[in-house]
């Protein structure tokens, strides 16, 4: 059974930083692309970032480029999202997800990811 567990969310002031973590079990973590998505209140879930199995390739949504960094530690079955210079519009529930394919390709559609965590809430106050 594949499980993803996010942590690290919370309340932060605008301009602050948070680091989200997602631990994956039940799958050979190092083989797969990982992604982060978010869903703000009243909005659809949107792509944030993705990383290849090796960590050598990454892709970001334009809205977070230069502020967020995705990384992974395959020895710990964990993917991270370092969020700096946070803005109120970054307020959302953040989800990690696994991509069932191992070959790198930029995939931003949530329907291309197969397993999801329960989400961790990030609130950025102005």
């Amino acid at each position: 059974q594949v499980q993803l567990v996010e942590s690290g969310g919370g309340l932060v002031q605008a301009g602050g930083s948070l680091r989200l973590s997602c631990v994956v079990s039940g799958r050979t973590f190092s083989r797969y692309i990982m992604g982060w998505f978010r869903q703000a209140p009243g909005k659809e879930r949107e792509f944030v970032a993705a990383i290849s199995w090796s960590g050598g390739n990454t892709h970001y949504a334009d809205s977070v480029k230069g502020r967020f960094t995705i990384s992974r530690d395959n020895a710990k079955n964990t993917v991270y999202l370092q969020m700096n210079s946070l803005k109120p519009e970054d307020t959302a529930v953040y989800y990690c997800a696994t991509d069932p394919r191992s070959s790198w390709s930029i995939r931003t559609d949530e329907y291309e990811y197969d397993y999801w965590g329960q989400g961790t809430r990030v609130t950025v106050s102005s």
Side-chain angles (χ1 to χ4, degrees):
Q1 181 181 359
V2 180
Q3 289 189 322
L4 291 76
V5 180
E6 302 99 333
S7 62
L11 174 64
V12 63
Q13 289 189 331
S17 298
L18 283 174
R19 188 176 82 152
L20 306 184
S21 300
C22 170
V23 179
V24 180
S25 61
R27 169 169 274 184
T28 306
F29 177 77
S30 60
R31 293 183 181 176
Y32 299 102
I33 294 167
M34 294 295 300
W36 284 98
F37 288 74
R38 67 185 182 186
Q39 187 167 21
K43 295 187 177 181
E44 294 185 350
R45 189 152 54 184
E46 65 175 1
F47 172 81
V48 175
I51 188 167
S52 62
W53 66 269
S54 68
N57 297 95
T58 58
H59 180 68
Y60 297 91
D62 287 343
S63 58
V64 306
K65 202 171 294 183
R67 300 187 298 123
F68 290 12
T69 302
I70 188 171
S71 62
R72 66 191 295 162
D73 184 338
N74 287 342
K76 295 182 178 179
N77 287 3
T78 302
V79 61
Y80 304 97
L81 186 68
Q82 177 67 44
M83 306 186 296
N84 298 329
S85 302
L86 283 161
K87 305 176 181 179
E89 50 264 44
D90 294 318
T91 294
V93 177
Y94 284 72
Y95 301 89
C96 64
T98 64
D99 184 322
R101 292 151 291 204
S102 57
S103 59
W104 173 250
S105 178
I106 295 174
R107 288 184 276 267
T108 62
D109 190 331
E110 64 176 305
Y111 297 106
E112 296 188 281
Y113 292 76
D114 56 354
Y115 290 99
W116 294 79
Q118 82 290 346
T120 186
R121 185 175 301 276
V122 172
T123 302
V124 184
S125 63
S126 57

